């Protein structure tokens, strides 16, 4: 059985508005990184303020910490978190076939969206007051179709794709252990080994995809992720580096 990692706190809440909001509230009092798991969220959210719907039995948690690196390096922990979710799914189901990582921060299973990751922080300049890594995983159910944005990847659950039923508490322990391993690697050796591991699990690497922002759209071959975490596409207009976008394929 997986052990809880040393140095990481844990609090389990029956109900909260959002684990990200709870992270913001407790950040100042923390002496080390802390996981917050909610059995139920009343105001969960995803990227760009979108609602995050969470059927009963699914996973909703946030890791809150007070990192010392510059903000651009801190943000690379989204890749650390994605690898941790991937490894937690592997360890609990024994399966990697069908698992993939979608830039910038989704985990896919058999082409459907299994998990989403959202980073929030406070502070500016060379330091941040805190970092919160919100993670949602469809363990047993998927959101209803009417909750999805147009063109979004169809959601799947760990149960629907593997037949394995996992409780949020069990998933949290596996996730925390996996995250601690990658976090140590990240703080010791930097982003390069994280980037290499992420690319080995990347969805659609070497294939044509579409990167869409609020004001532009780029179609091109997914070449790599660079040292800053940017998506690199080979498009009709040449090589393009994209710091933030929604990906479609």
């Amino acid at each position: 059985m997986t052990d809880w990692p040393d140095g990481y706190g844990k609090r389990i809440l029956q109900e909260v508005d959002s684990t990200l909001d709870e992270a913001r509230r407790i950040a100042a009092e923390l002496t080390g990184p802390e996981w917050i798991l909610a059995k139920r969220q009343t105001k969960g959210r995803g990227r760009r303020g979108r609602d995050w719907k969470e059927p009963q039995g699914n996973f909703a948690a946030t890791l809150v910490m007070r990192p010392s690196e510059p903000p651009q390096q801190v943000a690379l922990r989204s890749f650390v978190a994605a690898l941790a979710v991937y490894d937690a799914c592997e360890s609990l189901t024994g399966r990697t076939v069908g698992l993939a990582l979608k830039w910038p921060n989704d985990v896919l299973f058999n082409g459907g969206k299994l998990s989403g990751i959202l980073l929030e922080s406070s502070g500016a300049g060379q330091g941040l007051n805190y970092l919160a890594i919100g993670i949602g995983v469809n363990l047993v159910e998927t959101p209803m179709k009417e909750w999805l944005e147009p063109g979004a990847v169809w959601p799947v659950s760990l149960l629907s794709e593997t037949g394995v039923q996992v409780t949020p508490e069990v998933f949290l322990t596996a996730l925390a252990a996996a995250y601690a391993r990658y976090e140590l690697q990240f703080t010791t050796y930097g982003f390069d080994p994280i980037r290499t591991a992420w690319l080995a699990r990347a969805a659609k690497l070497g294939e044509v995809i579409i990167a869409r922002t609020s004001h532009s759209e780029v179609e091109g071959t997914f070449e790599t992720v660079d040292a800053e975490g940017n998506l690199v596409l080979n498009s009709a207009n040449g090589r393009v580096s994209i710091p933030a976008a929604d990906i479609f394929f």
Side-chain angles (χ1 to χ4, degrees):
M1 185 174 179
T2 303
D3 294 326
W4 187 259
D6 291 339
Y8 287 76
K10 174 173 63 173
R11 61 182 72 190
I12 298 177
L13 307 175
Q14 291 301 312
E15 182 175 298
V16 72
D17 49 358
S18 162
T19 57
L20 285 165
D21 289 333
E22 182 69 6
R24 172 179 47 79
R25 289 189 288 264
I26 71 171
E29 69 188 49
L30 294 180
T31 57
E34 179 124 353
W35 283 97
I36 306 164
L37 173 68
K39 298 290 188 68
R40 180 175 182 268
Q41 291 189 123
T42 58
K43 296 181 180 179
R45 61 182 178 275
R47 294 181 67 221
R48 299 178 183 173
R50 298 164 180 153
D51 285 344
W52 177 270
K53 302 299 184 182
E54 179 205 341
Q56 190 70 26
N58 283 352
F59 181 83
T62 291
L63 174 63
V64 57
M65 60 176 66
R66 300 174 70 181
S68 59
E69 305 97 344
Q72 62 270 25
Q73 186 176 357
V74 170
L76 295 173
R77 283 184 171 86
S78 64
F79 295 91
V80 176
L83 286 168
V85 173
Y86 184 105
D87 279 16
C89 292
E90 178 184 2
S91 69
L92 293 169
T93 67
R95 291 182 54 178
T96 57
V97 176
L99 269 175
L101 303 179
K102 177 176 178 280
W103 188 92
N105 47 20
D106 288 342
V107 181
L108 307 181
F109 212 138
N110 295 334
K113 182 173 177 176
L114 177 69
S115 171
I117 298 167
L118 176 64
L119 270 61
E120 292 187 353
S121 60
S122 172
Q126 288 301 301
L128 296 175
N129 297 326
Y130 76 94
L131 171 70
I133 305 172
I135 300 174
V137 184
N138 298 327
L139 294 180
V140 296
E141 294 188 45
T142 56
M144 295 173 64
K145 183 177 181 180
E146 56 264 30
W147 293 346
L148 299 178
E149 60 184 292
V153 175
W154 186 258
V156 297
S157 73
L158 203 63
L159 179 61
S160 70
E161 301 310 298
T162 69
V164 178
Q165 186 161 354
V166 178
T167 67
E169 292 91 339
V170 168
F171 193 87
L172 176 63
T173 300
L175 176 63
Y179 184 91
R181 293 194 298 269
Y182 284 117
E183 172 72 16
L184 180 60
Q185 189 177 54
F186 179 67
T187 55
T188 304
Y189 302 107
F191 181 55
D192 190 59
I194 299 298
R195 172 180 169 273
T196 299
W198 191 96
L199 285 168
R201 297 159 174 80
K204 303 299 182 179
L205 187 65
E207 299 183 29
V208 175
I209 62 174
I210 296 172
R212 187 177 298 157
T213 70
S214 58
H215 54 80
S216 67
E217 181 175 296
V218 178
E219 181 175 349
T221 301
F222 178 11
E223 179 182 303
T224 191
V225 169
D226 66 19
E228 287 72 48
N230 299 319
L231 177 73
V232 179
L233 300 183
N234 279 321
S235 73
N237 296 319
R239 202 165 183 258
V240 181
S241 179
I242 302 170
D246 288 322
I247 302 303
F248 298 87
F249 43 71

